Amino acid sequence: MPEAPKEQQKATDYSVAENNKKTLEFIEDVTKKPDDVQKTVLAEILSKNAHVEYLKRHGLNGITDREIFKKVIPVITYEDIQPEINLIANGDKSHILCSQPISEFLTSSGTSGGERKLMPTIDEELERRSLLYGLLMPVMSQFVPGLEKGKGMYFLFIKSECKTPGGLVARPVLTSYYKSSHFKERPYDPYTNYTSPNETILCSDSYQGMYSQMLCGLCQNNEVLRVGAVFASGFIRAIRFLEKHWSLLCNDIRTGTLNSQITDPSVREAVMKILKADPELANFIEQECSRQSWQGIITRLWPNTKYVDVIVTGTMSQYIPTLDYYSNGLPLVCTMYASSECYFGVNLNPLCKPSEVSYTLIPTMAYFEFLPVHKNNDTTNSVPLSKSLSEKEQQELVDLVDVKLGQDYELVVTTYAGLYRYRVGDVLRVAGFKNSAPQFNFICRKNVVLSIDSDKTDEVELQNAVKNAVSHLIPFDAHLIEYTSYADTTTIPGHYVLYWELSVNGSTPVPPSVLEDCCLTIEESLNSVYRQGRVSDKSIGALEIKIVEAGTFDKLMDYAISLGASINQYKTPRCVKFAPIVELLNFRVVSCYFSPKCPKWTPGHKQWINID
Ligand code: AMP
């Protein structure tokens, strides 16, 4: 059958407007009576799963009443349900957590015992995720009209996946989404009209994926109205890629041929439908890229861009100055808040400043509860994730409509896919309301001290890694007196820096190769998400140890005390962010060492079989 003419496939202005209106009405509806929606969602989850082993064991016996649910079901962390998760991963198909078959595991960037957490999911969750994605552009269109008339240049990638011993696929949530028919076979929609053909997004080779997406983005530069990636770090990596490879890209555009490094046949075929010899465009790109300054490169190469769509809340805020530089201050738009456990909510005021971003949780996505985080004299007093909640603490949880303006809470979810009262690990602050639904600032991920990309390193992991590394110092009678760390994002990709103050008693100084071994040992000891970032994604640079002069950490303490810290309670921070402190440390650096190679990493949990 001949392909229908393109014009006929295009949605009319009327249907775009109509769809936007319906979507905005949906948001109005669910935010007007969020508690009714939440009650229905919980009742639906509990009735669908009335017979699952986990709920029966806790004595719920098919009851869907919210108060009884709260009384009998404990608030948990991943470690509490790890035995159930392991059973499912090993092939137990009985209804352990959910009455519907677990379709796959989503591998979270949050880790447990050094390995990614495995989040169970079911087929129908894909629809919920699609629903949330479907809210984003109608919201955006209220602030930036005409986006349906052009394209989005998004750098999107899949990651490797593996199989559990029981045969379930385990992969990151976005890989699952991009490989699903919801994404691959999406009907024509002007809002999901991207410069990157699906084949380039689904390419498993990250160089070929990035090259072909950049090439297609450059070829269609005048059509691009918005640019982005999921996280800020990913977008900056794309700019860095352009810095390295623009000459090759220009060559391909000039000649209308794709160079031989792109070997994936489906990528080649898809790109060749877009690539046409265009010496004028090639000259223009060459001229812009060879200028000394790359300030505003986004607006120079993609002149119709209205905004940069990337998450810059949470740890990603460290990339805001770099993005401002490359984009000449275009709005940085954070559209959504989501996780492997569940997609949570959207930003209804997307053009606001990054520091003011708040997310409205969509009450149909899951049942949400909130554990208050108490602040005493400026110190945050919350229940560590490693500790079970006492009965009193369990009673402190409040519902979505009962949160208080300005108060911080830890998010707890009950999902359709079998998580019940699960602590996500994020701390949120109530910033306002949309109708009766609260809107939250993302405050932090609990316990995380270092993060460059999707890696999340906590203090305990860092401490263990340092402990493993210092054993290399023993033969030299050298000791680590104090240390702290810093996520250095001034390099691309960013990297972890550890500041070490040593006391060397032996007569031979510690050789550089030993300190390099220390760097590598730290990397080997960090979790698999960090190591994947180093090895496979290349999103994290080599770890660096900076040796500081004797007395540096005393100076650090003096400085903290001068700023008002109590002398009795002072503890060396295990991570620093405040620029004057980083400066104080850098000023006293006597030598620097980098990890000489990448740490070991293979996809999947240690003992599993890999698909690719
Ligand atoms: P993952 O389970 O690997 O998908 O990671 C989900 C986590 O990423 C969330 O629990 C948050 O800690 C973080 N995250 C997701 N969306 C945002 C956002 N919009 N702002 C800040 N952090 C986010």
Side-chain angles (χ1 to χ4, degrees), residues 207 211-212 215 219 245-262 268 271-272 275-279 282:
Y207 172 85
Y211 187 92
S212 53
L215 186 61
C219 289
H245 301 287
W246 58 263
S247 179
L248 190 59
L249 287 155
C250 286
N251 205 37
D252 284 356
I253 295 172
R254 182 167 291 113
T255 57
T257 55
L258 189 52
N259 70 77
S260 59
Q261 286 176 29
I262 307 303
R268 290 191 70 89
V271 172
M272 287 316 293
L275 182 63
K276 303 276 171 305
D278 190 343

Side-chain angles (χ1 to χ4, degrees), residues 193-217:
N193 193 2
Y194 304 130
T195 53
S196 301
N198 288 353
E199 292 79 357
T200 62
I201 295 171
L202 295 169
C203 176
S204 54
D205 179 286
S206 60
Y207 172 85
Q208 294 188 47
M210 179 69 97
Y211 187 92
S212 53
Q213 293 191 43
M214 185 59 82
L215 186 61
C216 293

Side-chain angles (χ1 to χ4, degrees), residues 233 237 240 244 319 450-455 486-498 519-520 522-524 526 529-545 593-599:
S233 53
R237 224 164 40 246
R240 177 77 182 143
K244 266 195 182 159
Y319 295 102
L450 285 169
S451 173
I452 293 289
D453 190 40
S454 53
D455 52 303
Y486 174 63
D488 185 351
T489 53
T490 57
T491 57
I492 302 175
H495 69 293
Y496 288 11
V497 174
L498 274 88
C519 294
L520 185 60
I522 295 175
E523 295 203 300
E524 295 284 8
L526 292 175
V529 180
Y530 175 88
R531 286 178 284 114
Q532 180 171 6
R534 282 281 285 129
V535 177
S536 167
D537 307 345
K538 313 239 178 316
S539 56
I540 307 174
L543 183 138
E544 181 180 12
I545 291 179
Y593 306 91
F594 286 92
S595 208
K597 56 182 186 184
C598 280

Side-chain angles (χ1 to χ4, degrees), residues 528-597:
S528 76
V529 180
Y530 175 88
R531 286 178 284 114
Q532 180 171 6
R534 282 281 285 129
V535 177
S536 167
D537 307 345
K538 313 239 178 316
S539 56
I540 307 174
L543 183 138
E544 181 180 12
I545 291 179
K546 290 184 174 180
I547 304 293
V548 290
E549 64 192 34
T552 297
F553 280 85
D554 286 341
K555 290 271 180 334
L556 187 69
M557 180 171 73
D558 294 344
Y559 184 73
I561 289 164
S562 76
L563 294 180
S566 142
I567 228 172
N568 295 324
Q569 288 170 335
Y570 179 81
K571 284 200 281 322
T572 302
R574 286 298 171 230
C575 177
V576 294
K577 292 188 175 75
F578 188 45
I581 292 192
V582 178
E583 222 169 273
L584 182 154
L585 291 164
N586 279 337
F587 191 67
R588 290 167 174 78
V589 170
V590 288
S591 53
C592 305
Y593 306 91
F594 286 92
S595 208
K597 56 182 186 184

